[in-house]
Amino acid sequence: MTGSRRPLLVVGLVASLLGVCLLVAPTLGSGFTPTGVGRTAPFALGGVVVLLLAGVYFLTDVLSSSTDQGDDAETQPPETPTPERRPHYESLGESFARRLDGISWTDRREAAPTARIRLRDDLREMARRALTDSDHRSRNEIESRLDTGTWTADSDAAAFFTGDIVPELSIRQRLRSLWSPEAVFARRARHAVAALANRTTNTPVVPALREGTTPGQSPPPVSVREYWGPNDETARERRASRASDVVVAALALGGLGILTLTPSLLLLTTFGVIVAGYARVATPPTESVSVSRALDIETPAPGTEVTVTIGIENTGSETLADLRVIDGVPPGLRVTEGSPRFTTALRPGKKASFTYCVEAVPGHHAFGPMLAITRDVTGLHRRESLVEPALTTLTCHRPRRPAAIAGHRRRTTPLPGASRSNAAGAGVEFHSVREYRRGDPLSRVHWKQRAKTGEFTTIDFDESRLTRVLVAVDTRRETYRTVGRDADTPLARASIAAAHDVSMALLDEQIPVGLVAVSPRSCWLAPQAGATHRARIRTLLTEDDAFDWTPPTADFDAEHALRVITRQTQTATQIVVVSPLLDDQAVQLVRSLDAHGYAVSVHSPFPAEESASLSAGEGYAVLMRGVRIKTLRSAGIHVRTADTLEPTRRGESS
């Protein structure tokens, strides 16, 4: 107990005993009958002192909690994990929301507001490309329409390009700036993006930003590991802040009781003293919980509901009055029935169990430790511990689906699994005629030329070589973003599914296929063919950490990834990059591979529900993706898009 709290407890105890004595034996004070000021002053002074002590106690508790000093500092535990939901993935529109957040009412005072200038330049270039594809007009006509605002019926969208970088504000807008954090320029930018995106996508785009895209918001913890943090301890104790609240309230009521000469209010101080004393001497419940976990199906098909059964046993000698267990549901699984939380009370040696259901999705899902929370009878003390049952895993393999293969750029032949090389040799297609050399097969001697001229010559054909394909899957942190209001599946999962389909389709054509992860978490598999290699690819895409449901924490080194590919892959190997193309780094990697002489093609999945609408931030991301696709196609790189948001000219074949 700290020095500042000890006298407070003594004062509260004395006041409580005094009140109890007066209530039990009112005649004790009959011999003392002060009059006038002498009768009222002591009670008034005592009441004021107690109220002041209550305020000091409250301030001391707040300061000690905020600075976290001393062993007696009472801390409020953070929000418990919510394993029913998948991890929070950044929305695709958050990057645009951050750009708008950098535009405020105050930057209009700057001589050159950089954030506004860059945003307008980017959107104007984007508008030129979008209007060129949708309206089929010349560049001069498009510039004229942007300058006059005739390209759209939305007045805010038109004013973004026609108005000033720092528009003049009306009286109404100046008044609005007092309570609205969004500047007029930012609102016009949202409308301009929505108007442009509606010209290039099949999904409607609204000018509003998606809820939850405000920068700086920290989502509550989802998994038990995320809640527990990086510390290595397996148990920790916490003290609820309700004890200090009760003490402060009791002291305040005791002070009012003295001022108003109300013994019943003074008696309530006793309750606060008892609570404070119990909070000091009581100890948290002992850690004596044993748990088990069982799955009814360990290798289900996608979409199957799997029942998880949790068993709990009190192995100690004390009754657990309040026991709460939260299971460590893997990040990729969604709870469909029941709850992974359970609350009960257990006597020594007693057992309890509960069940819940999860929906199987492709991947290797390892259940984490359970969080066990035990409280005492009053709820003032709690002990949290990580309980590790036997390792439980759920493995769900992706089904076979027919898939169109991203086209190989060059050196292809009509024969499946073969490509035309630059070397002359044995083959079926004529290449050239050269002088005869000793050792040339007689079947390749040009006998007609020998009959005409008497000279021996040899016919060379285009030498056919077996095509080798390397599938590069983009699973960087930037690909773990979601599209849609209620989406909880990152775009990286679509890339992994597309890589599986492309690899299986190539293997069906007897083409050797390799696998590499474009991610800080490395994964490499050299191109081969056969049933064993097919199973190896499916296992890697299902179980390797590079294709996990949680995004990588490390930064991606593009130069290192390029060196890995170029050192282990011959230039004759064709590379299929599977990426949603969400940033310029993915484009730079593809162009670097092309510059090194590889035949590169891109398979870009981008799933979204056709019935759902997109926010302005998501529309901006779709427009930027369209710019990247056109950049690659302009460089002669084949890009196949597999989505409902085709960001190319309407009617153009991908």
Side-chain angles (χ1 to χ4, degrees):
M1 184 181 299
T2 60
S4 61
R5 295 181 179 180
R6 188 176 292 107
L8 299 180
L9 187 59
V10 172
V11 171
L13 181 59
V14 172
S16 300
L17 292 177
L18 178 60
V20 171
C21 291
L22 291 177
L23 288 175
V24 174
T27 59
L28 292 177
S30 59
F32 179 70
T33 56
T35 59
V37 178
R39 180 176 182 176
T40 59
F43 294 97
L45 180 61
V48 171
V49 169
V50 173
L51 289 176
L52 290 176
L53 289 178
V56 171
Y57 190 97
F58 175 75
L59 293 177
T60 303
D61 184 73
V62 170
L63 292 176
S64 63
S65 298
S66 61
T67 57
D68 196 25
Q69 295 177 351
D71 296 335
D72 294 331
E74 297 180 353
T75 57
Q76 181 68 23
E79 186 176 352
T80 55
T82 55
E84 300 89 350
R85 301 185 294 108
R86 284 178 177 163
H88 170 79
Y89 300 106
E90 183 177 291
S91 172
L92 198 61
E94 290 193 25
S95 59
F96 182 67
R98 284 191 290 268
R99 294 195 68 172
L100 294 184
D101 189 61
I103 299 172
S104 62
W105 293 95
T106 57
D107 64 355
R108 59 186 298 107
R109 304 190 185 100
E110 301 176 5
T114 306
R116 297 183 181 226
I117 295 175
R118 289 180 178 176
L119 181 59
R120 172 177 273 191
D121 291 343
D122 292 345
L123 292 187
R124 191 173 185 92
E125 179 61 30
M126 193 179 297
R128 295 190 191 102
R129 293 174 178 265
L131 296 179
T132 299
D133 292 338
S134 62
D135 297 354
H136 307 287
R137 296 176 183 271
S138 64
R139 184 182 180 87
N140 291 335
E141 291 177 325
I142 291 174
E143 293 287 353
S144 175
R145 299 189 68 193
L146 290 175
D147 292 336
T148 58
T150 56
W151 64 278
T152 179
D154 190 329
S155 58
D156 282 326
F160 181 77
F161 297 110
T162 59
D164 296 331
I165 290 289
V166 183
E168 292 293 333
L169 300 181
S170 62
I171 297 178
R172 178 183 177 185
Q173 291 171 337
R174 292 182 183 276
L175 293 176
R176 182 181 179 184
S177 65
L178 298 177
W179 67 82
S180 176
E182 185 182 39
V184 174
F185 185 82
R187 186 183 76 250
R188 292 176 177 178
R190 290 192 290 103
H191 283 260
V193 167
L196 293 172
N198 281 321
R199 290 174 173 266
T200 59
T201 65
N202 299 324
T203 302
V205 180
V206 297
L209 293 177
R210 184 78 67 202
E211 294 181 3
T213 58
T214 303
Q217 289 184 344
S218 56
V222 174
S223 65
V224 172
R225 282 295 186 188
E226 185 181 1
Y227 168 82
W228 195 259
N231 53 59
D232 297 329
E233 60 183 356
T234 58
R236 59 193 181 193
E237 299 177 2
R238 297 184 185 275
R239 181 179 299 162
S241 61
R242 68 187 69 175
S244 60
D245 298 337
V246 171
V247 172
V248 171
L251 286 175
L253 290 175
L256 291 176
I258 295 175
L259 285 175
T260 60
L261 300 178
T262 306
S264 58
L265 290 179
L266 185 61
L267 185 61
L268 291 176
T269 309
T270 307
F271 177 71
V273 174
I274 295 174
V275 172
Y278 177 83
R280 300 302 173 186
V281 300
T283 58
T286 59
E287 180 183 349
S288 56
V289 178
S290 175
V291 297
S292 62
R293 183 193 297 118
L295 307 179
D296 64 339
I297 308 175
E298 294 185 355
T299 56
T304 304
E305 280 199 353
V306 179
T307 301
V308 184
T309 303
I310 306 297
I312 310 169
E313 181 181 3
N314 182 1
T315 58
S317 58
E318 299 179 5
T319 298
L320 299 179
D322 186 351
L323 171 62
R324 307 182 185 191
V325 177
I326 303 178
D327 195 14
V329 182
L333 299 182
R334 184 191 297 111
V335 177
T336 58
E337 184 179 346
S339 174
R341 306 162 175 266
F342 186 69
T343 302
T344 186
L346 285 180
R347 294 196 299 270
K350 295 298 181 179
K351 300 180 181 180
S353 64
F354 68 97
T355 61
Y356 64 93
C357 297
V358 295
E359 180 184 0
V361 293
H364 181 75
H365 309 278
F367 284 77
M370 299 183 194
L371 176 64
I373 303 176
T374 53
R375 301 173 185 263
D376 58 7
V377 177
T378 62
L380 296 179
H381 291 275
R382 61 186 273 173
R383 179 190 295 272
E384 299 177 348
S385 58
L386 290 181
V387 187
E388 296 274 2
L391 180 63
T392 309
T393 59
L394 185 152
T395 303
C396 178
H397 290 285
R398 199 173 303 276
R400 290 293 309 275
R401 297 183 306 176
I405 305 175
H408 301 162
R409 280 185 52 200
R410 54 180 180 266
R411 300 201 299 266
T412 57
T413 72
L415 302 177
S419 64
R420 182 183 299 116
S421 70
N422 294 326
V428 295
E429 189 172 347
F430 177 80
H431 180 272
S432 61
V433 178
R434 59 173 174 81
E435 295 181 355
Y436 175 81
R437 300 169 188 166
R438 180 174 296 182
D440 286 346
L442 294 178
S443 59
R444 288 170 52 193
V445 174
H446 197 341
W447 294 109
K448 292 184 179 180
Q449 185 72 14
R450 170 76 174 102
K452 289 182 179 179
T453 62
E455 298 178 356
F456 282 95
T457 56
T458 300
I459 301 176
D460 278 336
F461 301 90
D462 282 328
E463 183 177 353
S464 296
R465 295 179 179 176
L466 190 64
T467 300
R468 300 167 67 87
V469 178
L470 179 67
V471 178
V473 191
D474 185 3
T475 54
R476 296 170 297 124
R477 185 169 56 239
E478 289 74 14
T479 64
Y480 282 82
R481 299 180 182 177
T482 58
V483 183
R485 180 177 301 276
D486 301 321
D488 58 359
T489 303
L491 291 174
R493 303 306 304 176
S495 296
I496 297 171
H500 173 271
D501 296 340
V502 169
S503 300
M504 296 301 108
L506 290 169
L507 289 173
D508 288 343
E509 298 293 334
Q510 305 301 319
I511 300 176
V513 178
L515 190 67
V516 62
V518 182
S519 168
R521 299 179 291 206
S522 61
C523 175
W524 170 265
L525 182 64
Q528 294 182 24
T532 302
H533 189 71
R534 181 192 300 272
R536 192 178 295 118
I537 289 180
R538 296 184 66 187
T539 301
L540 283 178
L541 290 174
T542 301
E543 303 182 9
D544 196 272
D545 291 340
F547 311 111
D548 195 34
W549 276 82
T550 57
T553 56
D555 294 331
F556 175 69
D557 188 348
E559 295 183 358
H560 173 72
L562 186 62
R563 287 195 300 269
V564 170
I565 295 177
T566 54
R567 288 177 181 177
Q568 303 188 56
T569 308
Q570 300 177 354
T571 55
T573 301
Q574 301 185 31
I575 300 179
V576 178
V577 178
V578 183
S579 171
L581 299 177
L582 297 182
D583 62 351
D584 294 333
Q585 194 174 44
V587 176
Q588 184 60 39
L589 177 63
V590 173
R591 300 201 66 173
S592 298
L593 291 172
D594 181 66
H596 278 75
Y598 292 96
V600 186
S601 58
V602 178
H603 187 97
S604 183
F606 197 89
E609 298 180 2
E610 295 186 10
S611 58
S613 61
L614 301 179
S615 66
E618 293 165 341
Y620 177 81
V622 171
L623 289 171
M624 290 299 299
R625 177 172 176 262
V627 172
R628 299 183 189 105
I629 290 175
K630 291 181 177 62
T631 300
L632 292 176
R633 287 174 174 170
S634 299
I637 299 174
H638 179 83
V639 180
R640 180 181 182 273
T641 57
D643 51 68
T644 59
L645 303 176
E646 172 60 61
T648 57
R649 182 180 305 151
R650 296 181 184 273
E652 179 183 352
S653 174
S654 59

